Amino acid sequence: MSSAQLYDTIGATYTVTRRTEPRIAAQIWAALGNARTVLNVGAGTGSYEPSDRYVLAVEPSALMRSQRPPDAAPCLVGSAESLPFDDRSFDAAMAIASVHHWPDPIAGLREMRRVARRVVVFTHDTDDAGWLHRFWLTRDYLPEVAGLLAGRPSLTELAGAIGARTEPVPIPWDCADGFFEAHWRRPEAYLDEDVRRGVSVWARVGADAERRAVSGLRDDLASGRWAERNRDLADLDAAELGLRLLIT
């Protein structure tokens, strides 16, 4: 299933739980530097688009495009691997949590590098399998996530394709953007179907794995087992769970 087909299927309530997290946004916008024109690739509903610069968006999913707010940047139909722009058309190109859906991430990143002087990508470090063990949801309830990473280009390969450096992105405990790892200190959120529907991981692991994970988590929250196993998280303000920026 392509990313457009996936989000045309699961994305109907995306804006209920997925929105700009200001602290992560500040890190992304700082990485954009003094860019005045920005291309947002795989733009979704428009989260993290800076309001103080000219932004043009590209998004393949009709359902996601339909949920962009009226004051969002103009959005074209298109994919990362074939951007309809001349070389160096933009000061910067950004991609936020979408690279893992692209059919050919390396080609998409090279296209971004072709059309922009700077590239900023918010993605995940698949080189570091340690986060799967640090994150209680994948460690104790949803081990199938490890299989989703198989065959994907490593962070090293992605960075090497465009000559990028990497920068860690800590996840605040009260993160406003409900991506997969966002509720690491708020486990009850994963019992909410709207939260799960806003994250492609749940669709990709399948209904049986989802039911088993949710049932196990619900039981452990009720019994106090989750709190006992994860008591070290209670005083943390942010977590390092493998999220990264690629910056050229």
Side-chain angles (χ1 to χ4, degrees), residues 125-232:
D125 185 359
T126 56
D127 299 354
D128 176 19
W131 75 272
L132 291 167
H133 303 286
R134 293 194 302 273
F135 186 28
W136 53 265
L137 182 57
T138 51
R139 181 190 66 220
D140 301 331
Y141 304 99
L142 207 61
E144 290 85 355
V145 171
L148 301 182
L149 306 180
R152 279 173 43 184
S154 68
L155 188 74
T156 301
E157 291 171 320
L158 296 177
I162 55 173
R165 63 181 177 87
T166 64
E167 185 177 291
V169 180
I171 307 170
W173 77 269
D174 55 349
C175 185
D177 188 354
F179 50 76
F180 181 60
E181 303 89 352
H183 304 288
W184 59 269
R185 215 181 92 178
R186 296 169 290 166
E188 295 83 0
Y190 294 105
L191 304 182
D192 185 333
E193 179 142 3
D194 281 342
V195 168
R196 299 197 306 275
R197 293 291 72 77
V199 178
S200 64
V201 167
W202 296 100
R204 291 186 178 277
V205 297
D208 289 344
E210 179 178 0
R211 280 191 293 268
R212 187 205 65 242
V214 171
S215 176
L217 176 58
R218 182 180 291 110
D219 290 347
D220 286 351
L221 287 172
S223 70
R225 186 174 183 227
W226 184 93
E228 175 62 25
R229 293 185 70 173
N230 298 284
R231 58 186 180 276
D232 57 318

Side-chain angles (χ1 to χ4, degrees), residues 100-111:
H100 55 290
H101 294 306
W102 300 354
D104 189 339
I106 298 294
L109 291 176
R110 286 175 174 158
E111 271 288 89

Side-chain angles (χ1 to χ4, degrees), residues 70-127:
D71 59 349
C75 188
L76 306 178
V77 182
S79 62
E81 295 86 352
S82 182
L83 296 173
F85 307 107
D86 294 334
D87 295 358
R88 299 297 181 97
S89 295
F90 299 88
D91 294 332
M94 58 185 271
I96 308 300
S98 65
V99 171
H100 55 290
H101 294 306
W102 300 354
D104 189 339
I106 298 294
L109 291 176
R110 286 175 174 158
E111 271 288 89
M112 291 176 68
R113 193 73 177 100
R114 178 185 66 79
V115 304
R117 296 171 180 82
R118 173 172 295 186
V119 173
V120 177
V121 175
F122 181 33
T123 187
H124 206 285
D125 185 359
T126 56
D127 299 354

